[in-house]
Amino acid sequence: MTDNTVMSNLNGATPHSNYSTITATDDSSEGSPNESGFMVNKRAMYEPGAVMVCSQKRACCVVTLSFVAIIAVALIVAFTKPGCPEATYTGEPIPGLSSRPTNSPPPTVPTATNGEEFPWTDVRLPFHVRPLFYDIIIHPNITTRHVRGNLTIKLTAIEETRAIIIHGRDLKVANYTLHNKYESQIAIEKFLEYPPHQQLYLGLSEILRRGSNYTLRLGFEGHLKEGLEGFYLSSYITAEGEKRYIATTHFEPTSARAAFPCFDEPHLKAKFRLRIYREPSQFTLFNMPLKSSAQVDKSGLMIDEFQESKEMSTYLVAFIVCDYEHVTNITEHNVAVSVYAPPTMISQANYALRMASHILDFYDSFFGVPYPLPKQDLIAIPDFGAGAMENWGLITYRETALMYDPVHTSSEAQQRVTVVIAHELAHQWFGNLVTMSWWSDLWLNEGFASFMENLGTDNAEPGWAMQEQFLVQKMHPALDLDALVASHPISTPVSDPAQIESIFDTISYNKGASIISMLESFLGRDLLKEGLRLYLEAHEFGSAETDDLWDALTKVTKKQGHFLDIKGIMDTWTLQAGFPLISVTLQDGHVTASQSRFLVCEENVTDPNEPLNITMGYKWHVPLTYITSSAPDKSEIYWMNLTDIEFLVPREVDWIKFNVGQRGFYRVTYDDAGWNALINVLLTDHEVLLPADRASLIDDAFTLVKGRLYDSPTLVQAGTINATVALKLSLYLPNETRYIPWHTALRHLFSWVELLFNYPAHKNMLEFISTLINPHYERIGWNDTGTHLERLLRSEVLMAAVDCGNVNAIQEAQRQFSAWRAKNESVPPNIRSVVYKTGVRYGTEEDWRHCWHVYNSSSIPSEKRLMLQAMAQTRDPWLMQQYLEYTLDSSKIRPQDVMIVLKEVSKNPGGRVSAWRMVRQHWPQISQLFGHGSFTIGAIIKSVTSPFTSSFDLGEVESFFEGVDIGPGERALAQALETIRLHIQWHQHNLDDVTQWLDTYLSKDSSEDDES
């Protein structure tokens, strides 16, 4: 068969559709649009601006006129122009059409490694065949680092074809054969490799018949590398100082192909069986329980065989060779939960075991769909790029995300352990049981896991106020990023590995979680649970798309007698970037509310999402909630269905606060009278508003200082507030005692400190913050007592006092640091961060060296992380440079921790330039260390460049990265550049106002102190 014939066969393939259109037809419900439960019913949906606005008579007229118009336009085009170039649509796929890349030729003909033309041009696999079962036999030699394996794939032909294309990366493949169901061999006439797409091509001697099953056998070889993806080596140090190696995997999103040849796309699910060789001193783990172990002849090796898995995606496969210890528990639903860790850390595994067992049982009941595997392992990996990975039945974690020592670990680190466990266990349903069809809908995995982690943690630790913490952990970071032009829709088209890696970001995780939280706020938890159960049951062991979720939720609302067009509402939040700013006025009981897209930067740059947003016009279905002075405990709702609204409240209302509890993914601004009324409430009786509402006012006010509205099709400055509004609002903080408002305020206040660093107002800003926190510094003290939230607040207030130059705070931190270093006196867990950082900042080189020693000798992961953060506080330029150089030596600082060091050094004003210089100087080495498929590249770029505030800095960053291929870091670079522009803009608009206000306020405060 010729190459042309092969190309013809492949090009005839039908791309797999990843989007479908689901239309709700039940419109029988009636009633008020503002009934209890926040339901949008038939009447509300037919109001102006709603999703469906049309009578039958009008519809007929519209259709007739449209048909006539189409014919007229067609005739004009036909007779006035001989032809026009084919249009290219680069935005989000229109629902109902495939988001799969077409098989259009690339700019150059793909060439295989042997010089021949590679017949398949798409980065996605064709939909000719799909796998049913993988039988993997693998022998990793940890001593020689050589990997050898044999693979059998049972597959079925979806369409007739004379070629099989699978993924493979950095593998030597040989001894490939194909047999039909009768075990008759089908000759493989051509074997080609195309590394740019990480694809292998097998040209066949005969056609594979549609619906028939076949068996593909391959031998392969590879190498264990000391990296952070694929099948790689990691190591730990024993109590005796011996270095021990383990072999572990991390495949998400596209690295299973680096361990064994496979169909490495999430919708191509199959069952897996593993047989793996090991030394007798080690043991192995797999997604499923061990079936048998046997000695291999006289080699001294053992071979472990595992039970066959459920259908799952390749990125969820995991296998590990190690010599760890473990603790085990059986849940109420009879699932064996085990936590594995190095022997020196196993004593820190009990908390994780308790949390995992509890949360797994909670999810089992919450979802109403049983956890389908007989076991759930959690294992700490010494070298791990992500926080954790949800491999089905074998979850891998960073040590800091799994280990907890009650004597040494802070409340913040304890919460991180619980939250990460809850997140990964949620994935066992959202992501593993039901998987997104393609990475464009990554948010179905990560957004839901990020939402559920909050519920799981709250159930396990009910005193932590996780609903309030959701604002600062999820909502606020998502609003910050989504206010950039360089943001992206939640559902966004991606194709190659670099693009896929780039969307593992705040939008997919935190915005995804936030819109689900908003959905819950107007659906109610019971309806949400019922819809999720229906979704999981309908697609278990399969794949799904965003519309499948909306379909399930629409069905349950219909069952309750309501018509709620979930898809129509939520498409405005998932298919376009950004969010609305709701501008409201109140005058004599008359409320007006309008919506426009909110952006923080004035720079007139091209909107990368414009092709999509033309269809929606940056308008949203907004569940606009509010409370008033006359009924502060009663939340009301109006729906803004792609439009503005007006409504009435009692004339005696003095103030009105929108977005109750900040459950809606939008910001709110008021006219001067509205802001002044709310500021007065905070100053006179702030507890009238819930802590979440106080935090949302702080967050909105400080953010609106730097923002603008987006009025399509041009960018227009409008509707933002003066910086003095935010400063006046913060004056209530001496009376604030709750963690969430304080955390929000300190984040914004110290961001202004950084912006003012090179200006005289910098000192005044620190003095102003001191006036706000001093009453709480005296009240809170240095004793590590109180509730979980009180401990979190104490840590932040003490650090703020040190940062503001509070002499008493600095001296006390130095005293405790000296006692810890000289006398080995223990520092309370929640005070350690303040003490260690202050001790290094105001200490000597010997103090820094002591922290370096503790970092290298401690077996407490949370303590090691604190050391990394503390050492970045040094003000010694030579130590700073040496510390940065350590990041290039994996024997000193593990690659997984490079990001922590660069981020913390960049926060240090004395290290900011050094970090940027080091990254530029060693960019080739950094790029090679983390690879082109790593999201860490983007995180490094943002960390070292986002603190910059001048046009000179902006020019340097633009100049350095011009023409540099940074793979998945492209989007992060665009966001970093926009952030620098925002800082420049902030100075232009706010520097004079802030400087003058601080001078006036502090002068007045000083004169009052003199009089007293």
Side-chain angles (χ1 to χ4, degrees):
M1 183 176 65
T2 66
D3 289 348
N4 288 338
T5 305
V6 173
M7 181 68 82
S8 176
N9 286 334
L10 286 173
N11 286 341
T14 303
H16 178 57
S17 175
N18 292 309
Y19 286 82
S20 59
T21 301
I22 300 172
T23 305
T25 57
D26 186 355
D27 60 352
S28 59
S29 63
E30 298 177 358
S32 166
N34 300 311
E35 288 177 347
S36 175
F38 300 165
M39 289 299 172
V40 180
N41 50 42
K42 179 177 177 179
R43 175 183 169 188
M45 299 303 289
Y46 276 79
E47 293 292 338
V51 175
M52 297 175 295
V53 184
C54 203
S55 67
Q56 185 175 2
K57 190 173 186 179
R58 184 179 296 176
C60 293
C61 293
V62 170
V63 170
T64 302
L65 291 173
S66 299
F67 184 75
V68 171
I70 290 169
I71 293 175
V73 171
L75 289 172
I76 292 170
V77 171
F79 287 100
T80 60
K81 193 174 182 180
C84 58
E86 182 180 351
T88 302
Y89 179 72
T90 59
E92 180 68 23
I94 298 172
L97 299 182
S98 172
S99 68
R100 177 163 183 171
T102 60
N103 191 28
S104 56
T108 58
V109 176
T111 304
T113 53
N114 65 353
E116 292 188 36
E117 179 181 337
F118 194 82
W120 182 250
T121 61
D122 198 336
V123 70
R124 294 283 304 274
L125 296 180
F127 202 54
H128 299 144
V129 298
R130 68 173 301 133
L132 303 173
F133 176 78
Y134 292 82
D135 188 1
I136 305 169
I137 304 174
I138 194 166
H139 179 194
N141 189 318
I142 293 180
T143 303
T144 66
R145 305 191 179 190
H146 182 260
V147 178
R148 186 174 66 252
N150 290 293
L151 173 67
T152 300
I153 307 176
K154 295 188 181 297
L155 49 86
T156 186
I158 304 300
E159 299 171 356
E160 291 189 350
T161 182
R162 293 186 67 170
I164 296 173
I165 299 169
I166 61 175
H167 286 114
R169 187 177 81 211
D170 298 332
L171 296 174
K172 181 181 178 181
V173 179
N175 302 323
Y176 34 82
T177 62
L178 181 68
H179 294 79
N180 63 21
K181 61 182 178 181
Y182 304 109
E183 281 302 311
S184 297
Q185 186 166 343
I186 300 172
I188 298 176
E189 298 181 332
K190 182 171 291 189
F191 178 83
L192 301 173
E193 299 178 67
Y194 185 54
H197 287 177
Q198 302 170 5
Q199 291 173 349
L200 311 175
Y201 171 89
L202 290 81
L204 310 176
S205 62
E206 61 184 74
I207 295 174
L208 302 187
R209 301 300 175 186
R210 180 177 181 179
S212 295
N213 293 344
Y214 300 88
T215 302
L216 176 64
R217 295 181 177 89
L218 306 122
F220 62 94
E221 295 182 30
H223 290 88
L224 289 169
K225 300 177 182 178
E226 292 189 47
L228 297 173
E229 59 186 19
F231 192 22
Y232 67 96
L233 277 181
S234 183
S235 63
Y236 71 95
I237 305 298
T238 67
E240 296 73 32
E242 178 189 357
K243 188 174 185 178
R244 297 254 182 104
Y245 286 96
I246 70 170
T248 185
T249 59
H250 182 84
F251 292 160
E252 188 182 37
T254 59
S255 289
R257 65 192 68 175
F260 57 93
C262 56
F263 296 85
D264 201 11
E265 295 188 0
H267 65 100
L268 296 175
K269 290 189 169 187
K271 295 182 177 181
F272 292 81
R273 182 173 66 186
L274 176 72
R275 284 171 282 178
I276 186 168
Y277 291 87
R278 62 173 172 86
E279 296 288 342
S281 60
Q282 300 170 322
F283 65 90
T284 58
L285 295 171
F286 179 55
N287 303 81
M288 296 296 290
L290 182 67
K291 182 178 180 181
S292 65
S293 294
Q295 188 169 348
V296 183
D297 300 330
K298 298 180 181 180
S299 66
L301 295 175
M302 303 291 292
I303 185 168
D304 293 337
E305 180 178 353
F306 291 87
Q307 295 178 20
E308 182 180 300
S309 77
K310 303 290 187 181
E311 292 92 345
M312 62 181 180
S313 304
T314 48
Y315 79 88
L316 295 171
V317 175
F319 38 86
I320 297 170
V321 183
C322 66
D323 60 351
Y324 281 6
E325 294 181 2
H326 71 280
V327 292
T328 301
N329 182 49
I330 305 298
T331 71
E332 294 178 1
H333 294 85
N334 203 35
V335 177
V337 177
S338 300
V339 179
Y340 291 81
T344 55
M345 296 182 186
I346 196 62
S347 62
Q348 303 171 52
N350 292 310
Y351 179 77
L353 180 65
R354 181 162 61 88
M355 290 295 100
S357 301
H358 181 99
I359 294 170
L360 194 65
D361 278 329
F362 168 70
Y363 286 159
D364 231 315
S365 301
F366 184 91
F367 293 126
V369 177
Y371 176 74
L373 304 186
K375 62 99 173 178
Q376 178 64 75
D377 296 335
L378 300 81
I379 183 169
I381 304 298
D383 297 279
F384 200 74
M389 176 58 209
E390 66 268 20
N391 316 298
W392 213 356
L394 178 54
I395 306 174
T396 45
Y397 292 81
R398 275 197 184 205
E399 293 170 342
T400 52
L402 193 62
M403 301 289 97
Y404 169 75
D405 186 314
V407 176
H408 297 282
T409 307
S410 68
S411 296
E412 180 184 10
Q414 178 189 12
Q415 180 173 309
R416 170 175 161 78
V417 168
T418 311
V419 165
V420 176
I421 288 172
H423 181 100
E424 303 307 324
L425 289 177
H427 272 310
Q428 307 305 299
W429 284 265
F430 280 92
N432 299 6
L433 182 66
V434 180
T435 311
M436 75 265 141
S437 294
W438 181 242
W439 298 104
S440 300
D441 281 328
L442 173 66
W443 87 278
L444 283 177
N445 285 16
E446 300 301 347
F448 263 96
S450 298
F451 170 77
M452 288 303 304
E453 76 186 35
N454 198 63
L455 302 187
T457 301
D458 185 63
N459 187 267
E461 297 284 5
W464 289 3
M466 292 307 296
Q467 183 61 58
E468 287 183 22
Q469 290 205 59
F470 184 88
L471 293 187
V472 297
Q473 300 295 333
K474 299 290 183 284
M475 180 75 76
H476 293 172
L479 287 167
D480 286 345
L481 181 56
D482 210 27
L484 300 178
V485 174
S487 181
H488 64 86
I490 287 179
S491 292
T492 192
V494 291
S495 55
D496 62 58
Q499 291 177 346
I500 294 167
E501 286 277 1
S502 73
I503 62 169
F504 280 78
D505 64 0
T506 299
I507 298 301
S508 296
Y509 285 71
N510 293 1
K511 183 179 180 181
S514 297
I515 67 165
I516 294 301
S517 176
M518 179 174 66
L519 179 65
E520 182 197 42
S521 73
F522 61 80
L523 270 184
R525 181 161 296 177
D526 289 342
L527 270 183
L528 179 65
K529 283 172 61 175
E530 188 178 347
L532 297 182
R533 182 177 306 174
L534 180 62
Y535 168 80
L536 291 170
E537 289 175 343
H539 303 284
E540 62 181 352
F541 304 112
S543 301
E545 299 157 4
T546 296
D547 281 358
D548 295 320
L549 177 63
W550 303 153
D551 182 47
L553 290 168
T554 299
K555 286 178 180 177
V556 299
T557 61
K558 286 182 180 179
K559 272 181 63 178
Q560 299 298 319
H562 302 278
F563 174 68
L564 189 61
D565 183 6
I566 300 293
K567 174 176 167 55
I569 294 169
M570 299 307 293
D571 274 358
T572 64
W573 298 97
T574 61
L575 296 182
Q576 60 181 347
F579 59 87
L581 173 66
I582 309 301
S583 301
V584 297
T585 61
L586 168 65
Q587 188 170 8
D588 296 328
H590 183 258
V591 177
T592 62
S594 61
Q595 60 165 298
S596 294
R597 184 188 181 186
F598 178 75
L599 293 171
V600 289
C601 193
E602 287 180 3
E603 193 76 17
N604 194 358
V605 296
T606 302
D607 182 357
N609 306 294
E610 189 66 54
L612 165 68
N613 292 120
I614 286 175
T615 63
M616 292 186 178
Y618 289 113
K619 297 295 181 181
W620 290 262
H621 290 282
V622 181
L624 186 65
T625 57
Y626 67 93
I627 54 176
T628 67
S629 57
S630 61
D633 298 323
K634 184 181 180 183
S635 177
E636 302 284 355
I637 185 172
Y638 272 91
W639 279 88
M640 301 178 71
N641 291 319
L642 308 176
T643 189
D644 306 334
I645 61 169
E646 298 181 10
F647 59 92
L648 298 176
V649 296
R651 292 176 64 89
E652 63 270 18
V653 165
D654 296 321
W655 56 263
I656 185 166
K657 199 277 174 185
F658 285 90
N659 200 2
V660 180
Q662 205 171 11
R663 295 297 298 274
F665 195 74
Y666 53 90
R667 294 197 182 278
V668 182
T669 190
Y670 306 83
D671 57 15
D672 290 343
W675 278 114
N676 289 334
L678 288 168
I679 290 172
N680 184 62
V681 171
L682 291 174
L683 290 172
T684 57
D685 187 11
H686 66 278
E687 291 189 348
V688 169
L689 301 174
L690 294 173
D693 284 313
R694 304 197 297 264
S696 76
L697 284 173
I698 296 168
D699 191 50
D700 281 351
F702 276 89
T703 304
L704 291 170
V705 166
K706 55 193 177 185
R708 62 182 169 80
L709 300 183
Y710 176 76
D711 294 335
S712 183
T714 58
L715 302 178
V716 180
Q717 175 75 19
T720 54
I721 66 176
N722 190 281
T724 59
V725 174
L727 291 168
K728 290 175 184 176
L729 187 148
S730 65
L731 290 174
Y732 98 94
L733 286 169
N735 296 318
E736 179 61 77
T737 60
R738 297 295 288 268
Y739 171 69
I740 302 304
W742 259 115
H743 177 90
T744 305
L746 288 174
R747 180 173 71 91
H748 284 293
L749 289 167
F750 276 100
S751 73
W752 284 22
V753 169
E754 292 182 11
L755 289 168
L756 294 169
F757 182 74
N758 293 318
Y759 298 90
H762 176 260
K763 182 179 178 181
N764 280 353
M765 190 68 201
L766 289 173
E767 186 178 346
F768 173 66
I769 298 174
S770 291
T771 67
L772 303 179
I773 66 171
N774 282 341
H776 300 286
Y777 174 76
E778 300 296 336
R779 175 180 63 84
I780 287 174
W782 287 81
N783 291 325
D784 191 8
T785 58
T787 66
H788 179 77
L789 291 181
E790 288 169 346
R791 292 169 190 258
L792 294 180
L793 177 60
R794 177 179 293 108
S795 180
E796 293 197 18
V797 168
L798 293 181
M799 193 70 246
V802 170
D803 290 339
C804 288
N806 183 306
V807 175
N808 180 274
I810 294 170
Q811 290 177 344
E812 177 59 23
Q814 286 180 303
R815 185 194 68 78
Q816 294 199 30
F817 183 88
S818 297
W820 167 70
R821 187 190 158 191
K823 304 175 185 178
N824 200 28
E825 290 185 7
S826 179
V827 180
N830 292 291
I831 308 298
R832 289 187 182 186
S833 178
V834 180
V835 170
Y836 295 161
K837 288 180 178 179
T838 307
V840 171
R841 184 184 299 177
Y842 295 97
T844 64
E845 179 179 341
E846 288 71 27
D847 292 326
W848 192 95
R849 296 288 176 199
H850 181 74
C851 290
W852 177 250
H853 171 72
V854 173
Y855 167 72
N856 283 285
S857 59
S858 176
S859 62
I860 310 295
S862 59
E863 188 82 348
K864 293 172 77 72
R865 184 181 178 89
L866 284 180
M867 290 299 109
L868 288 174
Q869 294 171 332
M871 287 185 287
Q873 295 289 316
T874 182
R875 297 190 291 186
D876 184 324
W878 185 82
L879 281 176
M880 183 76 73
Q881 186 60 37
Q882 184 183 59
Y883 192 36
L884 289 169
E885 294 291 338
Y886 282 177
T887 62
L888 302 172
D889 185 348
S890 61
S891 68
K892 289 184 167 63
I893 294 178
R894 294 179 184 268
Q896 68 169 15
D897 295 326
V898 169
M899 177 62 213
I900 298 174
V901 175
L902 291 176
K903 182 177 182 180
E904 293 299 321
V905 170
S906 296
K907 289 180 181 178
N908 184 340
R912 196 165 295 159
V913 174
S914 297
W916 168 231
R917 184 167 179 254
M918 196 278 287
V919 168
R920 284 184 298 167
Q921 183 179 355
H922 298 285
W923 180 256
Q925 187 173 344
I926 292 171
S927 182
Q928 183 178 11
L929 177 64
F930 294 105
H932 252 319
S934 171
F935 57 81
T936 307
I937 289 291
I940 288 174
I941 292 171
K942 291 180 75 170
S943 292
V944 300
T945 62
S946 293
F948 292 154
T949 60
S950 72
S951 298
F952 176 81
D953 297 326
L954 177 63
E956 272 205 338
V957 177
E958 289 178 323
S959 176
F960 176 75
F961 285 110
E962 185 177 2
V964 177
D965 180 11
I966 54 177
E970 288 288 349
R971 196 189 304 272
L973 174 60
Q975 293 166 354
L977 292 172
E978 189 174 350
T979 300
I980 300 172
R981 295 187 188 102
L982 168 62
H983 294 162
I984 297 169
Q985 169 191 308
W986 190 94
H987 289 138
Q988 294 169 347
H989 290 311
N990 302 303
L991 182 59
D992 291 343
D993 289 336
V994 171
T995 301
Q996 183 178 348
W997 190 92
L998 289 172
D999 285 340
T1000 302
Y1001 177 80
L1002 293 173
S1003 298
K1004 177 183 176 183
D1005 195 49
S1006 177
S1007 62
E1008 289 177 353
D1009 289 342
D1010 291 341
E1011 291 175 4
S1012 62

